[in-house]
């Protein structure tokens, strides 16, 4: 399975972007999908996750109220709607998929099985 992100770009502070991550197989059915980001010179950090069945979500504190993760099971696509963007949101955003189910929300990248190539989001001040 390949995950392909799109939607990154340059936006001014306060603006919005919507990222998409499409799985190459329409029958792909992970237990959970997530977005991570890595800013220049920083470690990769968890942003948000969504359970494929049920659609419950989890966010890191710095994006709560500004970002919304959603999914379309029919097209095996996960989205990240980013509003009120700040310069500190500048990073390469990557989507990830976890196959096996767990009731725990995993924020470590090592818990995810498949990764996209990443898409760059740049927020100018």
């Amino acid at each position: 399975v390949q995950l392909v992100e799109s939607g990154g770009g340059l936006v001014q502070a306060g603006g919005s972007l919507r990222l998409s991550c499409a799985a190459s197989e329409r029958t792909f059915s992970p237990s959970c999908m997530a977005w991570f980001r890595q800013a220049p010179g920083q470690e990769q950090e968890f942003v948000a996750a969504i359970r494929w069945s049920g659609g419950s979500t989890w966010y890191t504190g710095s994006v709560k109220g500004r970002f919304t993760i959603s999914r379309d099971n029919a097209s095996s696509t996960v989205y990240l709607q980013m509003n009120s963007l700040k310069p500190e949101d500048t990073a390469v955003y990557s989507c990830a998929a976890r196959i096996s189910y767990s009731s725990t929300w995993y924020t470590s990248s090592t818990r995810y099985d498949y990764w996209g190539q990443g898409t760059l989001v740049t927020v100018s001040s």
Side-chain angles (χ1 to χ4, degrees), residues 67-85:
F67 291 11
T68 302
I69 188 170
S70 61
R71 91 277 190 234
D72 178 4
N73 295 43
S75 63
S76 297
T77 302
V78 64
Y79 304 96
L80 186 68
Q81 177 67 44
M82 305 185 294
N83 299 328
S84 302
L85 282 161

Side-chain angles (χ1 to χ4, degrees), residues 2-6 18-30 33-35 50-52 69-80 95-96:
Q2 291 184 322
L3 303 179
V4 180
E5 299 103 333
S6 60
R18 188 193 196 205
L19 306 183
S20 300
C21 171
S24 58
E25 296 179 10
R26 290 295 178 262
T27 58
F28 186 54
S29 184
M33 290 193 72
W35 288 94
I50 187 166
R51 296 206 192 282
W52 211 242
I69 188 170
S70 61
R71 91 277 190 234
D72 178 4
N73 295 43
S75 63
S76 297
T77 302
V78 64
Y79 304 96
L80 186 68
C95 66

Side-chain angles (χ1 to χ4, degrees), residues 62-119:
S62 61
V63 308
K64 278 183 182 177
R66 300 190 298 123
F67 291 11
T68 302
I69 188 170
S70 61
R71 91 277 190 234
D72 178 4
N73 295 43
S75 63
S76 297
T77 302
V78 64
Y79 304 96
L80 186 68
Q81 177 67 44
M82 305 185 294
N83 299 328
S84 302
L85 282 161
K86 305 175 181 180
E88 52 264 41
D89 294 318
T90 295
V92 174
Y93 285 71
S94 300
C95 66
R98 176 180 169 86
I99 300 302
S100 59
Y101 175 80
S102 172
S103 59
T104 301
W105 287 105
Y106 288 119
T107 60
S108 169
S109 61
T110 62
R111 297 289 189 169
Y112 292 82
D113 305 298
Y114 295 93
W115 288 85
Q117 82 288 353
T119 185

